[in-house]
Amino acid sequence: MGNEVELLEHWRELTPEKQQKVLEFVEQLKSESETIPSESDFVPQTPLAKKLWSIRQRAIAAGLQLHK
């Protein structure tokens, strides 16, 4: 079953109050994604930043979970 279909089925089971909470949560997620630049947009500018970015990318590739 597709995510949209599953989401819609769950949505229909919620009370109007809980549906409103879901809408507010989605709006919050949407606004967060608009204000946080994606990692692909980041370009390190200094030699230190380039070195740290390289270390970070290697850690991610090795499976390390980063904290937010």
Side-chain angles (χ1 to χ4, degrees):
M1 176 179 344
N3 287 339
E4 287 183 49
V5 173
E6 186 176 357
L7 183 62
L8 189 54
E9 287 178 4
H10 289 299
W11 171 266
R12 290 178 179 148
E13 296 171 2
L14 296 174
T15 64
E17 293 81 18
K18 289 189 177 185
Q19 288 178 351
Q20 182 60 38
K21 285 184 179 183
V22 170
L23 289 174
E24 291 168 5
F25 179 68
V26 170
E27 285 299 320
Q28 179 185 355
L29 289 175
K30 185 179 172 192
S31 68
E32 286 175 4
S33 67
E34 292 171 352
T35 59
I36 300 172
S38 70
E39 287 190 21
S40 63
D41 294 340
F42 179 74
V43 178
Q45 301 296 312
T46 65
L48 176 60
K50 290 176 183 178
K51 183 175 182 178
L52 292 172
W53 188 253
S54 174
I55 293 168
R56 182 182 193 278
Q57 295 306 97
R58 287 195 314 263
I60 292 170
L64 183 69
Q65 294 292 322
L66 303 178
H67 296 281
K68 291 186 179 188

